Amino acid sequence: AEIVEGNWTYELDKSKVGPFADIQLVDTLRIDASDGSSVDLVITINTINDVPVLTGSISGSVLEGDIADAPELASGIVELVDIDADVSAFPTIPSQSVIGTYGVIAYNADQVNSAIGSWVYTLDQSSVQLLDAGDKVTDVVELVASDGTTHALNITVTGTDDVARVSGEISEVQLLSGTTVITGNISIND
C-alpha cells in the first residue's frame, strides 16, 4: 500500500452537540482507503460551560441634586443569554430589589419569559451630596440569577453645582455697654 499524505478539516456542527456543559464527547469517523483498508479518526470534543451573559441596557446615568429634589431615575430592559442551556434549564433572573452604594435597583422579571426583565435605579441623593459639579462615581449593582451567577448593572452618577442653602436661628440678643450681641446657630449646605 502506498502512503499518501494530505490535510483534513473537521468542522463541529454545534446544533448536534446540544446544550452540554463541561463534558467530553467523542466523534469517530471512518476513513476508507482506495486499497480497501480503513482507519478510524477519533475526534474528542471538550465542551465548556459558558457563563450566561446579561445583554441589553446594562448601564444608566443619573444626576446628583438636592436631597429634596424629585427622585433621579435610570431604567432599562435586559436579557440573560446562556448559549449552553436548553429551554428547560435556562437560567433566569427573578424579581429582586438590590441596594447599591448610591441607590437601589428594583428588577422585575417578565411574566412570560423570566430571562427578560426591566430595572429602575433610584438614586439616594443623600449619599452623593459631596460630589462637585462634573465629578462622576459609578454604582455597580449586581443581580443574582437562578444559577447563582451575578450580573452587573453600572450606573454613573454625575455631580452638579447645587444651590447653597443657609439656615439658622437666633438664640439670644443682648445689649452690653451700648453694643448689641446676637448669638445663634447657622448652617450652610451646598
Side-chain angles (χ1 to χ4, degrees):
E2 181 180 335
I3 297 177
V4 178
E5 292 186 24
N7 297 321
W8 58 273
T9 301
Y10 179 85
E11 186 172 324
L12 178 65
D13 183 350
K14 292 182 181 181
S15 69
K16 294 188 177 175
V17 174
F20 303 112
D22 294 332
I23 63 169
Q24 191 174 74
L25 302 172
V26 175
D27 194 1
T28 303
L29 306 170
R30 176 153 297 210
I31 299 174
D32 296 320
S34 60
D35 67 356
S37 63
S38 62
V39 64
D40 286 341
L41 177 61
V42 179
I43 306 291
T44 302
I45 303 162
N46 293 310
T47 65
I48 298 172
N49 185 12
D50 295 296
V51 175
V53 176
L54 194 63
T55 63
S57 302
I58 59 172
S59 63
S61 61
V62 291
L63 294 175
E64 171 260 344
D66 289 330
I67 292 174
D69 287 352
E72 270 289 313
L73 307 173
S75 62
I77 296 174
V78 293
E79 180 177 7
L80 188 61
V81 177
D82 187 352
I83 61 172
D84 294 324
D86 63 14
V87 174
S88 64
F90 201 85
T92 61
I93 298 178
S95 294
Q96 57 193 279
S97 181
V98 183
I99 298 172
T101 304
Y102 307 109
V104 63
I105 286 214
Y107 178 83
N108 293 303
D110 185 84
Q111 296 298 315
V112 176
N113 180 356
S114 57
I116 298 173
S118 62
W119 58 267
V120 175
Y121 177 86
T122 304
L123 177 64
D124 175 7
Q125 290 288 1
S126 66
S127 68
V128 292
Q129 288 303 297
L130 296 179
L131 291 178
D132 289 328
D135 285 352
K136 293 181 188 252
V137 293
T138 301
D139 201 352
V140 178
V141 183
E142 292 190 337
L143 301 174
V144 179
S146 60
D147 64 354
T149 57
T150 57
H151 304 276
L153 296 173
N154 300 295
I155 309 300
T156 302
V157 181
T158 303
T160 60
D161 189 13
D162 300 332
V163 176
R165 300 194 189 281
V166 179
S167 61
E169 59 184 51
I170 297 173
S171 59
E172 187 176 348
V173 176
Q174 295 179 349
L175 292 173
L176 300 173
S177 305
T179 305
T180 303
V181 177
I182 302 173
T183 58
N185 295 314
I186 189 168
S187 174
I188 301 174
N189 293 313
D190 184 13

